């Protein structure tokens, strides 16, 4: 490394900022993913409802959202909604709304795939013991779908958590934003980005580890 | 290729072959000779090491001790300063090309037609010109009764047809020895006969074959010698009539008892 | 073309910069996908067939590149490479970072596809005496290619979307050229929607290309 002297002092001086920023990212992710999963489940139910007027619009929504860059959606919601008279959202809520809508499209696909991969025999067994449709959904389909989709869900969770870095583009003080500020103010370029990278990696591994525990807890013999 | 009369050894000679998986010894010193033109059947209950033995001969498994010779040449290893060293992959590939193998699960290449499956080894391993390889493939597919199916992909063929293509793929390479590992076990009963009859005709044409099979009628009629494996050892060996008609041990008797009525 | 201030008029005015932005988006994407996939194939080969130390090294790099947000990779490259007195332009820094991301995902895709080919295929190829490269070329890769295709197309779409992040370091790709147009005419909603449409068209074409390739490879089944 050419003449570059490492100096992590600025990192320690800004350590509280970094940790707070990490917490901010995790909070944004938790809120958006919870809402996104709920919305996604509803969308998935619409997709497999067998009713074209429900299925088609949801399909279109999912395709449009998944093929549009998240950064564009963030700007569109943040700068565009006030244009049509919606002023109530600050940058935090605006970002959560965007990531929720984005996550829902991805979750919808994960859940739909999980629901359609449930072998028919289980549903028939549910019918045979006299379960009503809602009961079959509650006691057969949802639990099986949950187990089948857990691995795919954890991939999605991690990837959506990483997407919270884009909140920096609308000045939400999360990790990327903080690292960039430290970079600009102190010129400790490598230290700032290294710290952010390590914190992101640590958080991603933490999420993966937690979800793997859930997976093991709910492991299904197949 | 060394011709068999250059040495006094038979085509295949396995001496004291040992094979361990982790701590479990699966082959506990196998001695087996197969002479040119012989059809040797290996019988024995599940888990006795039959598959492992065939896989060692075709170098799909590394054996831990002992030697396997083909035409007098040690295969898979050479001894350097008293230490066994596995040969390079390219040398092993050359040795494998001299031994054919037919698998229980066919293992046809799903992205190739029947003809392409047979031609692949001819053109890529034996570097045969395409036209010649195609003639050879057509000839062998015809021999196994599938001349009209040569443009078909594996999924378009029944299990019996797939297995016959797999046999054509093995024998088209003109191997010194062909290994068959329970090649009819994965087939529906009504498809077994078509595969066995192909194997019978190969045996009659003088091909040297080492066949693991539970088809006792086939073994009795086609094999020149039967080997009974039990717990990783060869427990009995001899002409079919002797081994199967006059079992030498209680274990063999009880194994054969399960097939009673089939040939008794 | 309508009056000044209407959408049609303004988009006509901005057509040149929008089109050149879209062209740059496509060029960047193509470069990243080509470079990233090329490196990723070797990464994947190393992951499957390499000796243990090599596997470990590649695995670590892949994990880091997949665990850190792309935006952080981009900013790290952009600010970091300058320290080495390497004169990288913003687009070059972006292509390097995105290619790293693409290569990491391709390595994993490649490894997964090759690992999913049944061992019987390798054994059957060995049984007719094929060498390593022959087995790879004639037996393993043709089958693996088909399994790699869907995740590869997904990665391609992610890359196209990911190029928007280069707007943050001043690369005038489609998103930034859209924002520059918006700064002149304040047609926020319309212009973001127009840009979204172009992204959707590009990504839809990528998916269609993928679907076409899949049909081409669909001449065999398992
Ligand atoms: N790859 C392997 N790893 C561990 N154990 C194995 C492996 N392959 C075979 N075995 C064990 O070796 C023994 C012999 O297996 P095998 O040769 O397949 O018997 P057979 O073909 O006679 O049924 C069995 O107990 C089997 O579980
Ligand atoms: Mg077996």
């Amino acid at each position: 490394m050419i003449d570059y002297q490492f100096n992590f002092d600025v990192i320690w001086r800004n350590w509280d900022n970094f940790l707070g920023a990490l917490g901010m990212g995790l909070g944004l992710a938790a809120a958006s993913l919870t809402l996104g999963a709920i919305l996604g489940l509803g969308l998935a139910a619409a997709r497999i409802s067998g009713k074209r007027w429900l299925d088609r619009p949801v399909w279109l929504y999912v395709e449009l959202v998944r093929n549009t860059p998240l950064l564009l959606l963030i700007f569109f919601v943040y700068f565009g909604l006030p244009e049509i008279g919606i002023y109530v959202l600050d940058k935090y809520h605006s970002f959560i709304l965007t990531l929720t809508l984005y996550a829902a499209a991805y979750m919808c696909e994960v859940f739909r795939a999980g629901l359609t991969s449930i072998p028919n025999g289980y549903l028939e067994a549910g019918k045979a013991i006299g379960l009503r449709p809602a009961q079959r959904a509650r006691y057969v389909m949802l639990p099986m779908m949950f187990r089948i989709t857990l691995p795919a869900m954890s991939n999605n969770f991690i990837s959506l958590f990483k997407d919270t870095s884009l909140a920096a583009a609308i000045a939400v003080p999360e990790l990327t934003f903080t690292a960039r500020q430290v970079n600009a103010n102190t010129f400790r370029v490598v230290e700032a980005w290294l710290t952010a990278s390590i914190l992101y990696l640590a958080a991603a591994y933490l999420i993966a580890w937690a979800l793997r525990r859930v997976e093991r807890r709910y492991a299904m013999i197949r | 290729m060394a011709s068999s009369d250059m040495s006094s050894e038979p085509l295949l000679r396995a001496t004291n072959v040992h094979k361990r998986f982790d701590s479990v010894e699966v082959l506990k010193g196998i001695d087996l000779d197969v002479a040119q033109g012989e059809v040797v059947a290996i019988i024995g209950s599940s888990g006795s090491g039959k598959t492992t033995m065939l896989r060692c001969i075709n170098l799909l498994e590394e054996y831990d001790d002992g030697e396997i010779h083909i035409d007098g040449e040690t295969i898979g290893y050479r001894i350097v300063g008293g230490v066994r060293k596995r040969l390079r992959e390219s040398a092993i590939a050359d040795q494998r090309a001299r031994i054919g193998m037919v698998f229980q699960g066919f293992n046809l290449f799903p992205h190739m037609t029947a003809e392409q499956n047979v031609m692949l080894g001819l053109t890529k391993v034996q570097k045969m010109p395409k036209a010649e390889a195609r003639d050879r493939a057509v000839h062998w597919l015809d021999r196994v009764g599938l001349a009209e199916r040569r443009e078909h992909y594996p999924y378009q063929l029944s299990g019996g047809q797939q297995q016959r293509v797999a046999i054509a793929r093995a024998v088209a390479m003109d191997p010194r020895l062909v290994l068959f590992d329970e090649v009819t076990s994965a087939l529906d009963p009504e498809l077994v006969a078509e595969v066995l009859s192909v194997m019978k005709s190969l045996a009659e044409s003088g091909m040297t074959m080492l066949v693991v099979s539970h088809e006792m009628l086939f073994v009795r009629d086609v094999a020149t010698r039967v080997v009974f494996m039990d717990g990783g050892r060869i427990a009995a060996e001899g002409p079919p009539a002797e081994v199967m008609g006059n079992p030498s041990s209680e274990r063999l008797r009880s194994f054969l008892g399960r097939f009673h009525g089939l040939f008794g | 073309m309508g009056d000044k201030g209407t959408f049609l008029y303004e988009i006509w005015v901005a057509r040149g910069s929008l089109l050149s932005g879209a062209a740059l988006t496509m060029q960047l994407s193509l470069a990243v996908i080509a470079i990233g996939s090329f490196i990723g194939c070797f990464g994947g080969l190393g992951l499957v067939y390499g000796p243990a130390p090599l596997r470990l090294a590649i695995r670590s790099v892949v994990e880091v590149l997949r665990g850190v947000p792309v935006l952080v990779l981009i900013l790290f490259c952009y600010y970091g490479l300058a320290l080495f007195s390497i004169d990288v332009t913003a687009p070059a820094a972006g292509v390097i970072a995105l290619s790293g991301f693409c290569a990491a995902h391709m390595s994993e895709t490649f490894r997964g596809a090759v690992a999913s080919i049944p061992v019987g295929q390798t054994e059957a190829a060995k049984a007719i005496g094929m060498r390593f490269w022959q087995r790879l070329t004639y037996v393993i890769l043709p089958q693996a290619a088909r399994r790699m295709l869907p995740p590869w197309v997904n990665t391609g779409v992610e890359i196209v979307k990911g190029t928007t992040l280069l707007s943050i370091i001043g690369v005038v790709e489609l998103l930034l050229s859209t924002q520059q147009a918006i700064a002149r005419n304040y047609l926020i909603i319309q212009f973001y929607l127009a840009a979204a449409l172009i992204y959707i068209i590009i990504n839809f074409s990528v998916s269609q290309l993928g679907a076409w390739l899949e049909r081409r490879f669909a001449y065999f089944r398992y």
Side-chain angles (χ1 to χ4, degrees), chain B residues 76 78 85-95, chain C residues 131:
Chain B
R78 71 203 146 90
K85 282 199 67 174
R86 189 159 166 89
L87 294 177
R88 278 175 303 115
E89 261 296 302
S90 57
I92 286 182
D94 289 341
Q95 293 176 340
Chain C
R131 279 100 194 275

Side-chain angles (χ1 to χ4, degrees), chain B residues 55 58 89-90 93-94 96 99 103 107-112 121 124-125 127 153 155 169 173, chain C residues 120-121 123-132 134-135 138-139 142-143 218-222:
Chain B
R55 291 168 60 84
N58 208 16
E89 261 296 302
S90 57
D94 289 341
R96 280 195 191 111
I99 307 168
F103 299 84
N107 294 350
L108 288 181
F109 305 123
H111 57 303
M112 295 178 188
K124 303 307 176 192
V125 176
K127 315 279 186 215
Y153 285 95
Y155 75 92
R169 178 174 70 181
M173 298 286 288
Chain C
Q121 293 292 312
E123 291 180 348
K126 283 182 179 172
I128 54 174
M130 299 186 102
R131 279 100 194 275
F132 176 75
Q134 293 176 320
R135 296 199 296 268
Y138 301 113
V139 176
Q143 300 183 52
Y219 60 92
F220 68 89
R221 271 189 231 152
Y222 299 99

Side-chain angles (χ1 to χ4, degrees), chain B residues 21-22 24 26-27 44-53 55 61 181-182 212 229:
Chain B
F21 287 113
D22 299 325
V24 186
V26 171
L27 298 181
S45 48
S46 175
S48 56
K50 308 180 296 294
T51 296
T52 306
M53 186 60 205
R55 291 168 60 84
E61 301 284 1
D181 187 14
E182 294 196 37
V212 172
M229 278 186 70

Side-chain angles (χ1 to χ4, degrees), chain C residues 12-90:
Chain C
W12 182 251
V13 171
R15 70 188 186 283
S17 53
L18 288 185
L19 282 180
S20 74
L24 185 56
T25 288
M26 288 194 269
Q27 285 163 7
L28 291 167
S29 305
L30 278 178
V32 168
I33 292 169
I35 299 171
S37 304
F38 184 76
I39 299 173
C41 285
F42 288 97
L45 271 181
L47 277 179
V48 185
Y49 298 110
L54 180 66
R55 283 206 305 271
L56 186 68
I58 299 176
R59 169 63 50 212
S60 320
V61 175
V62 166
E63 289 297 312
V64 169
L65 289 175
R66 296 200 316 160
V68 175
V70 188
L71 180 56
V72 173
L73 293 179
I74 291 170
L75 294 172
F76 208 160
C77 275
Y78 181 59
Y79 296 117
L81 288 178
L83 290 180
F84 296 84
S85 340
I86 301 173
D87 214 5
V88 281
T89 59

